[in-house]
Amino acid sequence: MRLPSPAAKMLAVAALPLALVACSAESADSTGASPAAASPSQAKDPNAGLLTGAQLKEALAPASYFPSGFAADPSLARDTGDTYQPPATHDAAEPRCADLGATSWISLTGVEGVSFAQNSYINQNTSAELDQEIDVYRGTTASDVLKGLADVVAACPTYQDSDTHSTVTVTGAATPGLGDEAYTITLTDDAWESGTTLIAARAGTAVVSVLSTDGADNGAASAKKLTAQVLSSLKSGSGAAGQG
């Protein structure tokens, strides 16, 4: 092995302080201070541009929309206010099929939005019901919710009505002409005077869902009319449903 000479060792030691001085000079600015580390960019707000519950509440059909005899049920009115809730999912493989006849039936898809608003109107004379809800989701989740409705119908071809102890038949189909996409579910039972129609329609990142038992047509016409009303309200509200 070839070893460095004593003179070469002395030159290397002498050069070391000069190298350290050069490094120190490069790391300091003209004032002698070290440059500050670059601050990381702020993360984008995942809820940016999404409607709050308070805004969605304003988009629901007003009391003046509903036919004579209908009155709001205050116990069924809820919304997320001016804040957002964390998105959540739950197992939808075995849905509680009877919840198809309840408010917030859209949650049977297993996906919860970041904001929502809902209320219900009941006809005290006929017991007919009209429910309306708007849920807002991040990204393309709203479209996934619509797709999930077909899975709910497939998992729930029938269920037992706890009041009449009879069998409810469930059918569903995609529905053109409402929002960006829509899906209709019909509930029928020989023990009922009339069936129930559920409609979910997407407008960008929002999903409008309604339930109707109003009308001899299983509530179909009134459900479609209410859905169109809420969709129109969302659209006129500065296109605030978000981009789809």
Side-chain angles (χ1 to χ4, degrees):
M1 177 185 297
R2 181 177 296 178
L3 299 177
S5 66
K9 289 183 179 181
M10 292 181 64
L11 287 173
V13 171
L16 183 58
L18 293 175
L20 291 175
V21 170
C23 290
S24 298
E26 290 176 359
S27 63
D29 60 20
S30 59
T31 63
S34 298
S39 59
S41 59
Q42 294 183 344
K44 182 180 178 181
D45 180 1
N47 298 320
L50 300 181
L51 291 177
T52 65
Q55 292 171 314
L56 295 173
K57 181 179 179 180
E58 294 300 315
L60 294 174
S64 59
Y65 164 85
F66 295 89
S68 175
F70 280 87
D73 184 341
S75 68
L76 298 177
R78 293 185 288 275
D79 64 80
T80 47
D82 292 323
T83 61
Y84 298 95
Q85 61 187 12
T89 58
H90 56 85
D91 186 9
E94 297 182 1
R96 292 183 55 181
C97 300
D99 286 349
L100 282 168
T103 59
S104 298
W105 57 269
I106 194 71
S107 64
L108 286 171
T109 58
V111 184
E112 303 290 342
V114 296
S115 61
F116 76 90
Q118 68 180 74
N119 60 33
S120 299
Y121 283 76
I122 311 295
N123 189 312
Q124 301 301 321
N125 300 318
T126 65
S127 298
E129 183 176 351
L130 287 169
D131 302 336
Q132 56 180 340
E133 179 173 346
I134 313 172
D135 293 82
V136 166
Y137 306 85
R138 294 176 181 172
T140 59
T141 305
S143 185
D144 296 333
V145 170
L146 263 292
K147 292 180 177 65
L149 290 174
D151 295 331
V152 172
V153 171
C156 299
T158 62
Y159 68 87
Q160 292 299 113
D161 184 325
S162 59
D163 293 328
T164 60
H165 305 289
S166 53
T167 300
V168 180
T169 299
V170 181
T171 58
T175 306
L178 286 173
D180 298 323
E181 56 184 322
Y183 194 87
T184 298
I185 298 174
T186 305
L187 313 177
T188 56
D189 187 329
D190 291 338
W192 297 349
E193 291 185 10
S194 181
T196 303
T197 295
L198 316 174
I199 297 179
R202 182 176 69 84
T205 58
V207 173
V208 174
S209 55
V210 306
L211 178 154
S212 172
T213 63
D214 178 40
D217 60 349
N218 299 323
S222 57
K224 186 174 183 179
K225 181 180 177 183
L226 179 56
T227 302
Q229 164 69 28
V230 180
L231 287 170
S232 177
S233 183
L234 279 174
K235 183 178 180 180
S236 63
S238 69
Q243 299 299 315

